[in-house]
Amino acid sequence: DQGNQWFARVRIRFELLDKAGSKLIWRTDIEKQNFVEKKTPAEVVRCINNSVQQCVIDLQQKLKEVLAEAR
């Protein structure tokens, strides 16, 4: 909450590990925030879902860039 406004904020850390899982190859934190228009639990959940989806979309783009650089 910020004053009278509600937001759905999601921050996810993504890590890419080597096959054995012992070495960190790449890490990124992605954060998204969406305004909650209706102050209801259902609307908060919907906005959280939208924030997660936006994080995954950003992750896909970042992974494309990282993998392109690795070639």
Side-chain angles (χ1 to χ4, degrees):
D1 300 348
Q2 293 178 352
N4 291 334
Q5 297 180 326
W6 287 16
F7 294 90
R9 182 174 160 221
V10 173
R11 181 178 177 161
I12 305 174
R13 172 169 286 170
F14 296 96
E15 295 180 344
L16 183 61
L17 304 172
D18 68 353
K19 190 173 181 178
S22 59
K23 181 180 176 187
L24 179 66
I25 297 171
W26 178 77
R27 173 188 295 156
T28 190
D29 293 324
I30 301 175
E31 182 175 328
K32 297 295 175 184
Q33 177 173 297
N34 287 294
F35 176 68
V36 178
E37 292 183 32
K38 298 177 186 174
K39 296 178 183 179
T40 65
E43 183 69 7
V44 171
V45 170
R46 187 187 70 74
C47 290
I48 289 171
N49 183 52
N50 287 345
S51 294
V52 170
Q53 288 178 4
Q54 292 170 350
C55 286
V56 171
I57 290 168
D58 279 9
L59 172 65
Q60 290 172 329
Q61 183 59 41
K62 288 183 177 197
L63 280 174
K64 283 180 188 177
E65 294 167 5
V66 167
L67 294 174
E69 290 173 7
R71 291 183 183 170

